[in-house]
Amino acid sequence: MDKALIRQRFAKATDSYDRQAGMQKHVARHMAEAIKRHIPDSDGWNVLEIGCGTGLFTREYLRGVRPGRLLLNDICPEVEPYLSGLPTASPIRFQACDAETLRFPAGQHLIVSCSAVQWFERPERFLSGCRELLTTGGYLAFSTFGPQNVREVASLTSETLPYRSLEELRRTLSGVYQIVYSREEILHFTFPSPLDVLKHLQATGVTGLRSRKWTKGQLEDFCQRYHRQYAAQDGTVPLTYHPIYMICKKQGK
């Protein structure tokens, strides 16, 4: 993972992110609802959110929940202004850093991350390491993406993240936590053209793997192949997302 490139692409997308992130909004709502359903009474808790971005999930979670303290983290310091006006009277602090260092205070009742850990170099190490920051009985809740994510683009460019399957994540984390909830979805979004797919990915920062710019010829070739392979009869093209959700509980030693 080129963390500098990832940070640069997401920082550049902050202004357009909320307008374009329909899939991310769906995942944020699902994650917030699952937490409230499986962790019904978290008022007054210390909460750490990893990869908060512009606060899509944060705002969903804070509807009807009042944490004792809320620590927000993101690799991009540029997102901090977008977090103003969050709907809570709880003390809020923002910490810009690479979350994989796990340099956060212990004593967290809930650690949550929405659509971020797929960008980590060693996600299993990070997720397991969160246990040391949690109180006994505390929860780790996160969403990430599985191997079918943006499969259309991956099939044409061979550029993809090393996504973990739900089964792989369950196998890794079941030895560390009690798994309270796990689910995956396959979501299909439709765009007018392959170029609109690329614009959507760029507007949401999901181009952090590609350091070089497309030439005009490469762009035309990609769009032609995408249309030829995936276009529907009306000319529109699909893009697949594969979100995975998990809620895990720290048991006593």
Short mmCIF file of all heavy atoms in Angstrom, two decimals, residues 48 71-75 93-97 103-105:
data_model
loop_
_atom_site.label_atom_id
_atom_site.label_comp_id
_atom_site.label_asym_id
_atom_site.label_seq_id
_atom_site.Cartn_x
_atom_site.Cartn_y
_atom_site.Cartn_z
N LEU A 48 -14.01 5.03 19.72
CA LEU A 48 -12.95 5.37 18.78
C LEU A 48 -13.40 4.98 17.39
O LEU A 48 -13.74 3.82 17.15
CB LEU A 48 -11.66 4.64 19.15
CG LEU A 48 -10.53 4.60 18.11
CD1 LEU A 48 -10.02 6.00 17.79
CD2 LEU A 48 -9.39 3.69 18.60
N LEU A 71 -13.45 9.77 19.94
CA LEU A 71 -12.17 10.05 19.30
C LEU A 71 -12.29 9.64 17.83
O LEU A 71 -12.53 8.47 17.53
CB LEU A 71 -11.05 9.27 19.98
CG LEU A 71 -9.66 9.34 19.33
CD1 LEU A 71 -9.17 10.78 19.19
CD2 LEU A 71 -8.65 8.51 20.13
N LEU A 72 -12.12 10.61 16.94
CA LEU A 72 -12.21 10.36 15.51
C LEU A 72 -10.81 10.35 14.91
O LEU A 72 -9.99 11.21 15.23
CB LEU A 72 -13.05 11.45 14.83
CG LEU A 72 -14.48 11.62 15.34
CD1 LEU A 72 -15.17 12.76 14.62
CD2 LEU A 72 -15.27 10.33 15.18
N ASN A 73 -10.58 9.40 14.03
CA ASN A 73 -9.27 9.26 13.39
C ASN A 73 -9.43 9.19 11.88
O ASN A 73 -10.37 8.60 11.37
CB ASN A 73 -8.56 7.99 13.88
CG ASN A 73 -7.55 7.47 12.87
OD1 ASN A 73 -7.86 6.60 12.05
ND2 ASN A 73 -6.34 8.02 12.89
N ASP A 74 -8.45 9.77 11.17
CA ASP A 74 -8.34 9.56 9.73
C ASP A 74 -6.90 9.83 9.32
O ASP A 74 -6.20 10.60 9.99
CB ASP A 74 -9.29 10.49 8.96
CG ASP A 74 -9.56 9.95 7.55
OD1 ASP A 74 -10.50 9.16 7.39
OD2 ASP A 74 -8.81 10.31 6.63
N ILE A 75 -6.48 9.19 8.24
CA ILE A 75 -5.13 9.42 7.74
C ILE A 75 -4.99 10.80 7.09
O ILE A 75 -3.88 11.31 6.94
CB ILE A 75 -4.74 8.30 6.75
CG1 ILE A 75 -3.22 8.27 6.55
CG2 ILE A 75 -5.47 8.47 5.42
CD1 ILE A 75 -2.73 7.06 5.77
N ARG A 93 -12.67 14.57 19.87
CA ARG A 93 -11.29 14.89 19.50
C ARG A 93 -10.97 14.21 18.18
O ARG A 93 -11.42 13.10 17.93
CB ARG A 93 -10.33 14.43 20.60
CG ARG A 93 -8.87 14.83 20.35
CD ARG A 93 -8.06 14.71 21.64
NE ARG A 93 -7.91 13.35 22.10
CZ ARG A 93 -6.90 12.55 21.74
NH1 ARG A 93 -5.97 12.98 20.90
NH2 ARG A 93 -6.81 11.32 22.21
N PHE A 94 -10.19 14.90 17.36
CA PHE A 94 -9.77 14.35 16.08
C PHE A 94 -8.27 14.10 16.08
O PHE A 94 -7.50 14.96 16.52
CB PHE A 94 -10.13 15.30 14.94
CG PHE A 94 -9.62 14.84 13.58
CD1 PHE A 94 -10.25 13.81 12.91
CD2 PHE A 94 -8.52 15.45 13.00
CE1 PHE A 94 -9.79 13.39 11.67
CE2 PHE A 94 -8.04 15.03 11.76
CZ PHE A 94 -8.67 13.99 11.10
N GLN A 95 -7.85 12.93 15.62
CA GLN A 95 -6.45 12.57 15.56
C GLN A 95 -6.11 12.08 14.17
O GLN A 95 -6.60 11.05 13.73
CB GLN A 95 -6.14 11.49 16.60
CG GLN A 95 -4.68 11.07 16.64
CD GLN A 95 -4.41 10.04 17.73
OE1 GLN A 95 -5.20 9.87 18.66
NE2 GLN A 95 -3.29 9.35 17.63
N ALA A 96 -5.28 12.84 13.46
CA ALA A 96 -4.86 12.46 12.11
C ALA A 96 -3.59 11.62 12.20
O ALA A 96 -2.55 12.10 12.66
CB ALA A 96 -4.62 13.70 11.26
N CYS A 97 -3.67 10.35 11.80
CA CYS A 97 -2.50 9.48 11.80
C CYS A 97 -2.83 8.21 11.04
O CYS A 97 -3.99 7.95 10.69
CB CYS A 97 -2.07 9.13 13.23
SG CYS A 97 -3.23 8.06 14.12
N ARG A 103 -1.72 3.65 17.86
CA ARG A 103 -1.32 4.59 18.92
C ARG A 103 -2.52 5.40 19.39
O ARG A 103 -2.64 6.60 19.14
CB ARG A 103 -0.20 5.50 18.42
CG ARG A 103 1.11 4.73 18.18
CD ARG A 103 2.17 5.60 17.56
NE ARG A 103 3.38 4.82 17.28
CZ ARG A 103 4.40 5.24 16.55
NH1 ARG A 103 4.35 6.46 16.02
NH2 ARG A 103 5.44 4.48 16.33
N PHE A 104 -3.42 4.70 20.05
CA PHE A 104 -4.63 5.31 20.59
C PHE A 104 -4.75 4.93 22.06
O PHE A 104 -4.20 3.92 22.50
CB PHE A 104 -5.86 4.82 19.83
CG PHE A 104 -5.83 5.10 18.35
CD1 PHE A 104 -5.59 4.08 17.44
CD2 PHE A 104 -6.02 6.39 17.87
CE1 PHE A 104 -5.55 4.33 16.08
CE2 PHE A 104 -5.97 6.65 16.51
CZ PHE A 104 -5.74 5.62 15.61
N PRO A 105 -5.48 5.71 22.83
CA PRO A 105 -5.63 5.38 24.26
C PRO A 105 -6.42 4.10 24.47
O PRO A 105 -7.37 3.80 23.73
CB PRO A 105 -6.36 6.59 24.83
CG PRO A 105 -7.00 7.26 23.66
CD PRO A 105 -6.13 6.99 22.48
#
